[in-house]
Amino acid sequence: MNSLFRKLRVDILSNNKIGRYLAYAIGEVLLIVIGIMIAVQLSNLNEQRRAADLERAYLERIASEMRSNVAMFSGDRETASAAQRVIERFSAALNDLSAPDAELGQATVDYFDTGWIFPDFDPTTTTFDDLEATGNLQVIRNNQVRQAMIELYANYEAYWRDLDSNVSWGLPVDARLTYEYDALRWDPRTAVLFQELTPGEAASDIRSHADILNRSAAIHFWVMDYTLRDYEEAIAHSESVLEKVEAELAKH
């Protein structure tokens, strides 16, 4: 191509055909410009394709994590609900002076096995943390989807802070209970370490510490109830954002 243009230039100049030379020169420049424009366009298309692929990869990871989180929150909700029921049965037996000794003893064992725990809130946030740390949040082009994700993960953090605050509030009572009372006697994992009591002796011992046991049960019930609301909100919010993410994925 270059040799052809060189021959044409020599021919035109040798025959003093300036006008035709200018036309060929302009054509040569146009070809170069068109070639550059095509190259830039191809580069832009490749960049757009890479950006779309990266966005899809992030959206798929976010969707997967949200599904896992919803499943985990649902399981935690069932665990907390079951713990609440155990706490209610324990409080009822503890406050019923006519409750059979064996019933009170079993309710106490159940409480320290299932009710005397604090719930957890530990969602997976790996992909969102990656997006924030790398500055790649803008990869999610749909502003509404991106903002919904930001709000969801901010709420996750708020739920965790709520739970941490509640646990910090309840731990001193549990510490006092452990110090003043043989609480671990009733935990199935440590009961073998204590002297065995008859049902009557056990019931008498439990009732003699009814005040602090009731206080402990009330605190755990309250924390469970508060966290159950957080689980419900986290599930609903996660499912709502998941729908947006899946709708965005459907466009790819």
Side-chain angles (χ1 to χ4, degrees):
M1 180 64 75
N2 288 336
S3 61
L4 175 61
F5 274 110
R6 280 197 298 272
K7 289 179 181 180
L8 288 171
R9 283 197 296 269
V10 171
D11 179 63
I12 290 169
L13 289 172
S14 64
N15 291 285
N16 198 28
K17 300 176 181 177
I18 301 300
R20 291 181 62 187
Y21 172 73
L22 287 175
Y24 278 111
I26 292 172
E28 187 175 1
V29 171
L30 285 175
L31 283 175
I32 294 172
V33 170
I34 291 170
I36 292 173
M37 290 176 65
I38 291 173
V40 169
Q41 185 65 21
L42 288 173
S43 177
N44 288 340
L45 288 173
N46 287 334
E47 185 62 31
Q48 290 173 8
R49 190 179 300 111
R50 284 194 293 270
D53 289 344
L54 181 61
E55 181 186 34
R56 180 177 182 82
Y58 272 121
L59 288 173
E60 286 176 342
R61 287 171 55 189
I62 285 287
S64 177
E65 285 186 1
M66 286 184 183
R67 292 187 199 101
S68 296
N69 285 339
V70 168
M72 180 179 64
F73 297 151
S74 298
D76 289 342
R77 177 184 58 187
E78 295 308 311
T79 299
S81 294
Q84 267 200 325
R85 291 192 293 271
V86 167
I87 295 170
E88 287 177 325
R89 288 195 296 271
F90 171 62
S91 294
L94 185 61
N95 292 309
D96 181 4
L97 297 180
S98 64
D101 293 343
E103 179 182 316
L104 176 59
Q106 186 58 54
T108 305
V109 169
D110 292 342
Y111 172 67
F112 283 107
D113 181 42
T114 306
W116 195 47
I117 59 173
F118 286 108
D120 194 14
F121 190 89
D122 188 25
T124 301
T125 61
T126 305
T127 300
F128 186 78
D129 292 342
D130 179 21
L131 282 167
E132 279 198 314
T134 58
N136 279 339
L137 267 172
Q138 296 303 315
V139 166
I140 312 301
R141 291 171 292 177
N142 188 314
N143 184 60
Q144 290 184 339
V145 173
R146 184 172 64 250
Q147 190 60 36
M149 288 167 48
I150 292 171
E151 290 175 1
L152 174 64
Y153 284 91
N155 280 348
Y156 282 173
E157 180 67 23
Y159 296 145
W160 181 87
R161 286 197 304 270
D162 283 347
L163 178 59
D164 185 61
S165 176
N166 290 336
V167 171
S168 296
W169 171 64
L171 279 176
V173 174
D174 277 359
R176 181 185 167 194
L177 178 62
T178 304
Y179 176 74
E180 294 184 4
Y181 182 63
D182 294 334
L184 295 181
R185 171 190 294 280
W186 308 107
D187 189 313
R189 291 170 290 271
T190 52
V192 68
L193 302 176
F194 293 84
Q195 180 182 1
E196 187 174 357
L197 301 176
T198 66
E201 291 171 334
S204 176
D205 187 57
I206 293 166
R207 290 191 174 100
S208 68
H209 294 86
D211 180 62
I212 193 169
L213 286 170
N214 263 321
R215 205 174 310 166
S216 171
I219 287 174
H220 281 276
F221 185 92
W222 189 92
V223 172
M224 289 293 181
D225 193 61
Y226 196 98
T227 307
L228 274 169
R229 293 198 297 271
D230 282 350
Y231 287 149
E232 294 289 351
E233 290 181 15
I235 291 170
H237 197 173
S238 298
E239 289 177 337
S240 174
V241 177
L242 177 58
E243 286 181 6
K244 292 181 174 63
V245 171
E246 289 178 333
E248 197 66 20
L249 276 169
K251 299 176 184 178
H252 282 257

